Amino acid sequence: MKQLIRNVKIIGTGSYVPDKIYTNDYLEKIISTDSLWIYNNIGIKERRIAEKNQATSDLAAIAGQRAIENAGITSKDIDLIIVATCTPDRKAPSTAAFVQHKLDAENAAAFDLNAVCSGFLYGMSVASQYIASGVYNNVLVIGADTFSKITDWTRRDAVFFGDGAGAAVMTSANITEGFLAYRLYTYTKEDMLGFTIPGGGSEIPLNENNLKEQYFEMNGKSVYETATMALPKAINQVLLDTGLSINDIDIMIPHQPSIRILQKTAEIIGLPFNKVMTNMDKYANTSGGTIPILLDEVHRSGKLQKGNIVLFAAVGSGWTYGASIIKWG
């Protein structure tokens, strides 16, 4: 998508992370890993962990409510709720339906979207189409995941993920602000399952004999190689679409896969790393929650100024990936 019928902007952000913290030092005690290696290679010091009675919709609803309040509207003003998640409360109904109920957003349609770590970027793109075409006016997009629920805490790859949710309220904008371009991709190849949650679907239904199939499996090398190919490709394309150069970018708000992936991506595209926002040291990779949690932090810190050119980018399982650019209003 290169041009919208109505411009679309973000008018409110919110986020929520659970109180419980698993530090690298704690993980050293329960699995074979090294705290310093985790930080030096991935950029993570700690991650947030949902309580046993906290579902993805619980985190999502709090983040959504904070975004609605930040936008200066009420839940009754929301026309549509999109929840980007790969750790839904249940197979059915959708996590978005639970969120709609918890927010008392009685006027909103609601559905889930699963593009894993690219989910929030995909969700913003879908929301933009509804707003640009005039179907809806106020769309609440939420990225939320509780990976602790699908983590095998005996394996070394348990160090990568944490739990959290972020949200944004999107609405129509004037011609001087808003999203300038999106580019979304799905790149399939032999190792498209470099990250997968094998069990629980129609291919591998869970039973009493295969419960470990519910945990995620990841090939770190494949993730690095794919991400450092995909992210620069998507970013360079949205720059081309908008006629902007990398020097025009004021802030990059990316998915948080690892510090080395982001450093390599910035090197390839020629973006000074001080423009790349990160928070993986505090929260690890929260999958669909990474971009909106980071967006909310940057927004509330005052780093985002009117007229800033902001770059979003993400890559996720499948492989889904993409980028977008917004002129902050």
Side-chain angles (χ1 to χ4, degrees):
M1 181 200 70
K2 296 182 181 180
Q3 186 174 4
L4 300 174
I5 301 168
R6 291 198 299 175
N7 279 19
V8 178
K9 66 180 179 180
I10 294 169
I11 59 168
T13 63
S15 61
Y16 172 76
V17 293
D19 293 331
K20 185 188 294 185
I21 297 174
Y22 280 6
T23 64
N24 292 345
D25 290 339
Y26 170 74
L27 293 185
E28 272 189 336
K29 299 175 183 178
I30 62 173
I31 58 177
S32 176
T33 191
D34 178 81
S35 175
L36 191 60
W37 182 93
I38 298 170
Y39 179 66
N40 289 339
N41 288 274
I42 312 174
I44 299 169
K45 290 183 177 179
E46 58 190 38
R47 69 284 296 143
R48 299 301 180 98
I49 304 297
E51 298 293 342
K52 289 183 178 180
N53 63 349
Q54 279 186 311
T56 297
S57 67
D58 293 318
L59 279 59
I62 297 172
Q65 182 61 45
R66 290 175 177 175
I68 291 169
E69 292 171 357
N70 185 242
I73 61 176
T74 73
S75 61
K76 302 296 189 294
D77 298 313
I78 300 297
D79 304 310
L80 174 66
I81 298 171
I82 301 172
V83 175
T85 185
C86 63
T87 54
D89 288 19
R90 304 182 185 187
K91 293 289 190 296
S94 70
T95 300
F98 285 113
V99 172
Q100 190 249 31
H101 173 70
K102 291 173 182 179
L103 291 177
D104 194 24
E106 60 186 28
N107 299 316
F111 62 82
D112 288 357
L113 181 155
N114 184 355
V116 197
C117 296
S118 302
F120 187 77
L121 182 61
Y122 271 61
M124 288 195 297
S125 175
V126 172
S128 290
Q129 312 313 309
Y130 279 113
I131 296 167
S133 62
V135 174
Y136 295 122
N137 291 315
N138 298 313
V139 181
L140 176 63
V141 184
I142 304 173
D145 274 301
T146 51
F147 260 68
S148 66
K149 312 283 188 177
I150 57 166
T151 296
D152 182 345
W153 293 100
T154 68
R155 294 200 322 238
R156 293 187 66 190
D157 59 10
V159 304
F160 286 93
F161 291 93
D163 301 338
V169 176
M170 299 173 60
T171 193
S172 60
N174 63 47
I175 61 173
T176 66
E177 60 189 1
F179 283 95
L180 304 179
Y182 289 97
R183 281 286 176 164
L184 304 178
Y185 301 87
T186 301
Y187 171 51
T188 57
K189 57 179 184 176
E190 288 185 2
D191 68 342
M192 66 179 290
L193 300 181
F195 181 95
T196 183
I197 304 166
S202 61
E203 181 189 12
I204 308 175
L206 293 175
N207 58 57
E208 65 274 13
N209 299 314
N210 71 345
L211 291 180
K212 285 208 168 186
E213 298 283 353
Q214 70 184 297
Y215 301 130
F216 77 83
E217 299 173 358
M218 184 173 71
N219 181 323
K221 180 181 179 182
S222 180
V223 170
Y224 180 86
E225 291 176 350
T226 300
T228 53
M229 175 281 298
L231 290 173
K233 174 184 173 181
I235 291 166
N236 285 328
Q237 188 59 60
V238 289
L239 289 172
L240 185 63
D241 290 344
T242 57
L244 297 171
S245 77
I246 196 64
N247 295 326
D248 295 314
I249 300 301
D250 295 303
I251 291 176
M252 179 178 175
I253 298 179
H255 160 55
Q256 304 286 288
S258 79
I259 196 69
R260 289 197 169 182
I261 287 175
L262 296 185
Q263 288 169 338
K264 185 63 176 179
T265 297
E267 176 188 332
I268 293 170
I269 64 176
L271 184 69
F273 199 69
N274 63 1
K275 293 186 176 183
V276 180
M277 302 295 102
T278 65
N279 63 5
M280 67 188 72
D281 59 325
K282 298 181 292 184
Y283 307 129
N285 182 348
T286 55
S287 189
T290 54
I291 286 179
I293 293 171
L294 182 56
L295 171 62
D296 185 46
E297 288 190 339
V298 173
H299 181 209
R300 291 174 187 265
S301 73
K303 291 180 182 178
L304 274 178
Q305 299 296 316
K306 184 178 176 64
N308 279 169
I309 303 298
V310 182
L311 170 66
F312 297 101
V315 59
S317 177
W319 300 93
T320 62
Y321 64 101
S324 68
I325 294 175
I326 187 173
K327 185 177 182 181
W328 196 256

